Amino acid sequence: MALDITEILFPMRAAVAAAGERIRDDFANPADVRHKGRIDLVTATDLAVEALLKEQLADILPEATFLAEETASVADMSGLTWIIDPVDGTTNFAHGFPFVCTSVALYDGPTALAGCVYAPILGQFFWAGRGLGAYCHDERIHVSGTAEPIAALVATGFPYAIRENLDEITADLRTMLAETQGIRRPGSAALDLAYVACGRVDAFYEMALNPWDVAAGALLVTEAGGTISSYRPSRPYALGDFRILASNTRLHDAMLTLLGE
């Protein structure tokens, strides 16, 4: 029996809203900030929010498995899977920088069904359902109409493995700084994608992201009329690809050219 996405979205949004309240409560005083990599942080809030989401989402779809950042437990997404980033922008969170969000998506195999990105400190809740459009709170959102790179505001991010990829990162950044209206790096890929979806930025590119970083945001972009692909090489994007480019569609070919396709 096919899922009714509209029935899933209501309790899903409630679970993500509850997670956001925990982030809001902890924001002024993040606890137990630890390193899980050279510059990759985890906090008590990451772990608590992930546990809360897994408990509430399991009640919605007991048959679904989980792919979650702090307790990743499945590699084969052959069926229904909740993909969770409890605190996207943990470094921002640990420093009191407000670009922090929770990202949750529901996939059926490789197909995105629903996604939510909630930035509680900024008071911005984005959500989308497959075939239902994309929204900020209850207002329908759409990508921008910008057609030329020189008029485009572009977001990007830098991977934790920045030393290993520094030459490529700086070469791309040099090109984008010269050929676009400006570059922004808020530090949360899920929020960057949400901002492409609502037209606040015109394009976003990054490398070395995990499925939980982009699963919800990618659906937001496509449901808002945008385009997602890999670059170098250019091909349809699949979760786990090393590079991602999201745009308002009108800019996509030009952005691929700038990125060396």
Side-chain angles (χ1 to χ4, degrees):
M1 180 174 159
L3 286 177
D4 185 339
I5 301 303
T6 58
E7 291 186 0
I8 297 296
L9 273 165
F10 183 79
M12 177 184 179
R13 290 171 62 189
V16 174
E21 291 312 304
R22 174 60 191 261
I23 293 172
R24 190 197 303 273
D25 290 345
D26 292 354
F27 185 70
N29 188 29
D32 193 20
V33 180
R34 293 179 285 113
H35 283 262
K36 59 181 182 179
R38 185 179 67 87
I39 55 173
D40 191 2
L41 303 180
V42 63
T43 72
T45 305
D46 293 81
L47 300 173
V49 167
E50 187 165 305
L52 181 155
L53 284 167
K54 290 176 78 171
E55 179 181 356
Q56 296 196 11
L57 296 172
D59 288 339
I60 301 170
L61 283 175
E63 67 271 33
T65 57
F66 289 95
L67 180 61
E69 179 176 11
E70 307 305 337
T71 56
S73 60
V74 298
D76 177 19
M77 290 171 47
S78 58
L80 292 170
T81 307
W82 293 109
I83 306 178
I84 301 171
D85 193 337
V87 182
D88 188 41
T90 298
T91 301
N92 290 347
F93 177 77
H95 287 267
F97 191 66
F99 289 86
V100 176
C101 66
T102 292
S103 173
V104 176
L106 177 64
Y107 274 61
D108 187 0
T111 303
L113 301 180
C116 297
V117 173
Y118 180 31
I121 312 306
L122 300 174
Q124 298 168 2
F125 196 119
F126 300 91
W127 59 278
R130 186 173 184 83
L132 301 175
Y135 299 81
C136 182
H137 301 289
D138 293 320
E139 182 177 348
R140 187 81 177 256
I141 57 174
H142 302 278
V143 295
S144 73
T146 303
E148 300 294 334
I150 196 61
L153 186 64
V154 177
T156 191
F158 308 136
Y160 291 120
I162 194 163
R163 288 175 172 172
E164 296 86 339
N165 298 285
L166 190 57
D167 289 345
E168 180 176 341
I169 292 165
T170 53
D172 289 341
L173 192 59
R174 181 182 179 89
T175 297
M176 290 297 172
L177 286 169
E179 301 296 334
T180 69
Q181 194 168 77
I183 301 293
R184 298 294 181 267
R185 199 272 183 177
S188 165
L191 201 52
D192 289 333
L193 288 163
Y195 282 8
V196 173
C198 71
R200 292 177 186 165
V201 297
D202 304 297
F204 163 72
Y205 73 95
E206 192 169 344
M207 66 172 66
L209 291 168
N210 293 297
W212 47 79
D213 297 313
V214 301
L219 181 63
L220 287 171
V221 171
T222 56
E223 286 294 322
T227 297
I228 301 274
S229 76
S230 295
Y231 64 94
R232 285 202 305 266
S234 174
R235 62 188 180 200
Y237 182 77
L239 291 180
D241 283 355
F242 188 70
R243 298 176 185 86
I244 186 171
L245 169 64
S247 82
N248 66 1
T249 299
R250 297 186 71 184
L251 281 167
H252 211 78
D253 288 345
M255 290 294 295
L256 286 171
T257 300
L258 291 176
L259 290 167
E261 293 294 342

